[in-house]
Amino acid sequence: MSATTTATTPGSAAIGCACGRTRLEAVGAPILVSECLCDSCKAAAKRLAALPGARDIRTAHGATACAEYRKDRVRFVSGTEHLAEFRLSPDAGTRRVVATCCNTPVFLELKGAHWLSMYLHLWPQQTRPKAQMRTMVGDLADASYLPDDIANLNSQSLSFYAKLFGAWIAMGLRNPKIEVKEKLDA
């Protein structure tokens, strides 16, 4: 991804951090939209919410809601100098990237992934993509409190992986790298 100051592309969403210094553009529709209830996402969200000025990004059900986008469809418009990566442990393959200007979590990236899980709180409420499924419900001790408004899956489904694989093929099996130089301790 590269920083740019061009206008928003038709069919894209202008999104950004809470203070507006870090701005992004997500082009087209996401691969899928999900709410994750895995132990890792819950622990990371809790730790990031404790940063000065940060807000809790978890849903009312304790999930982290994300829109999965191909990396080649996300562009930074401004604020890349504010990005820092957070890992639950030094050897964790998953990193969460935060805009340190206001401690807003921006995206989650799995090691080797060709997509980014863009946190839904980046979108204004009226244009926020709607979650299609909750995943990793199996990590909960008791999932009976979850509503049945969307599918509640014990793990990721075959269709989840099929959509991600289809997006990778559409990208020419590429995996663009995203440079984030700063580290964040939370």
Side-chain angles (χ1 to χ4, degrees), residues 5-183:
T5 56
T6 59
T8 303
T9 306
S12 67
I15 56 178
C17 70
C19 74
R21 291 187 185 128
T22 303
R23 304 294 305 162
L24 303 96
E25 179 183 57
V27 178
I31 300 166
L32 60 102
V33 183
S34 63
E35 294 182 0
C36 184
L37 285 156
C38 78
D39 292 336
S40 174
C41 282
K42 291 184 296 186
K46 182 177 179 180
R47 287 173 60 181
L48 293 174
L51 291 169
R55 61 183 178 144
D56 194 343
I57 62 169
R58 293 173 287 183
T59 68
H61 310 299
T64 16
C66 295
E68 280 68 37
Y69 269 90
R70 292 171 32 172
K71 285 181 180 177
D72 64 347
R73 292 202 173 164
V74 177
R75 292 181 212 28
F76 279 90
V77 176
S78 64
T80 56
E81 70 275 11
H82 300 295
L83 297 179
E85 73 174 39
F86 164 72
R87 295 178 189 264
L88 281 171
S89 66
D91 61 337
T94 301
R95 70 178 179 166
R96 280 105 178 145
V97 174
V98 175
T100 58
C101 46
C102 56
N103 288 324
T104 298
V106 178
F107 66 82
L108 174 146
E109 180 184 29
L110 298 169
K111 184 178 182 177
H114 59 279
W115 75 92
L116 297 175
S117 296
M118 307 294 297
Y119 292 112
L120 289 188
H121 69 275
L122 299 173
W123 277 261
Q125 185 68 39
Q126 65 275 17
T127 62
R128 190 170 293 163
K130 302 291 182 219
Q132 301 159 316
M133 65 185 83
R134 283 185 200 92
T135 62
M136 302 308 295
V137 171
D139 279 9
L140 298 174
D142 177 16
S144 64
Y145 70 92
L146 294 174
D148 61 1
D149 54 340
I150 56 177
N152 292 306
L153 308 172
N154 282 332
S155 62
Q156 283 87 9
S157 66
L158 183 57
S159 69
F160 180 96
Y161 288 114
K163 287 179 182 186
L164 293 175
F165 187 67
W168 192 34
I169 290 171
M171 291 174 65
L173 304 178
R174 293 177 300 113
N175 181 6
K177 302 296 178 214
I178 300 169
E179 295 295 324
V180 177
K181 296 177 181 164
E182 299 297 320
K183 307 256 188 248

